[in-house]
Amino acid sequence: MTAILALENCSLTDTATASYNAIHSVPYSYTIANIQENETLTIEELLECLLIPSANDAAFILAEKVGGTLDNFYDMMNKKAKELGASNSHFDNPHGLDRKTHYTTAYDLALISSKALENDILAEICATKTHKVPANNISNERFFINKNKMLSSYDGAIGLKTGYTNAARSTLVSCAEKDGMKLICVVLRDENPYQYEDTIALFE
């Protein structure tokens, strides 16, 4: 949802500068791209950080860029969810980490993912296995590996997004295309690495 709103409200060449709050809002132990305060990146680079290694700091930077304030961005997320028919979702953070008032369902995630796949840029990023973000005046070059093992282990896999939190456990939203049929599969509250096995079984 964060990526969808970013692309609906910005161009890929627009830039965003990391604030102190964006850098320090990610709970300890969760994935970041090690973006530094006052570092400026393009929207495309932030989307690559967000979707390939699951960088939560990039999510906050995009939210502030798009919404102006985090609260306004959350309102935008919930409005978009309603528009897509994701009626059993409520967003109050840009990265999906655990909060009692932040929730969704497998069906709603499939609806949101279907919308994301309509955008060729998002689809391309989600299918990227490895990527380099070039160095700038603050940070060195960054090299990312996509955590989605489906991309290298399942014929026809074209994305989409892995996830893990203490409450949700291992989650996986996948898309695969075979024999002219494209399917989205959502697996929630699984145990690593069985989210991959279960996804493949569902696809088959």
Side-chain angles (χ1 to χ4, degrees):
M1 182 64 82
T2 296
I4 289 169
L5 289 173
L7 278 177
E8 286 186 347
N9 291 276
C10 304
S11 71
L12 291 174
T13 55
D14 287 346
T15 59
T17 301
S19 70
Y20 176 89
N21 286 336
I23 298 305
H24 292 88
S25 293
V26 181
Y28 176 74
S29 82
Y30 282 101
T31 306
I32 59 173
N34 200 30
I35 300 169
Q36 303 300 305
E37 184 181 354
N38 295 322
E39 183 175 350
T40 298
L41 296 164
T42 67
I43 298 303
E44 183 173 19
E45 289 170 338
L46 287 166
L47 288 170
E48 290 160 350
C49 292
L50 178 77
L51 296 171
I52 298 174
S54 302
N56 294 293
D57 45 358
F60 274 106
I61 298 166
L62 287 167
E64 290 183 349
K65 170 68 175 181
V66 174
T69 67
L70 292 178
D71 285 342
N72 187 52
F73 187 74
Y74 305 156
D75 287 343
M76 293 171 69
M77 296 177 89
N78 288 310
K79 182 179 178 181
K80 178 59 70 172
K82 195 173 195 181
E83 178 185 313
L84 296 176
S87 56
N88 291 303
S89 297
H90 184 265
F91 294 91
D92 67 5
N93 68 57
H95 47 46
L97 301 184
D98 294 332
R99 290 190 71 175
K100 289 182 179 179
T101 52
H102 184 99
Y103 53 83
T104 190
T105 65
Y107 180 74
D108 285 2
L109 285 175
L111 290 176
I112 295 164
S113 299
S114 180
K115 177 65 176 178
L117 283 170
E118 292 177 7
N119 187 294
D120 292 340
I121 298 298
L122 286 188
E124 182 181 346
I125 294 173
C126 288
T128 300
K129 296 178 183 178
T130 62
H131 184 71
K132 290 180 181 179
V133 174
N136 55 44
N137 63 327
I138 292 180
S139 291
N140 295 325
E141 180 181 78
R142 279 166 280 220
F143 179 75
F144 297 131
I145 298 175
N146 198 319
K147 296 181 177 182
N148 186 357
K149 296 178 182 178
M150 291 291 291
L151 294 174
S152 56
S153 66
Y154 186 72
D155 182 37
I158 56 173
L160 280 167
K161 191 70 192 70
T162 61
Y164 178 88
T165 72
N166 291 331
R169 310 307 294 169
S170 292
T171 66
L172 182 63
V173 180
S174 294
C175 184
E177 190 168 14
K178 280 186 180 183
D179 302 325
M181 179 183 291
K182 184 183 291 184
L183 297 176
I184 291 172
C185 179
V186 182
V187 173
L188 305 177
R189 201 165 177 79
D190 214 333
E191 295 300 325
N192 188 45
Y194 300 113
Q195 72 270 30
Y196 297 104
E197 294 181 13
D198 293 334
T199 294
I200 290 170
L202 285 162
F203 273 138
E204 293 303 306

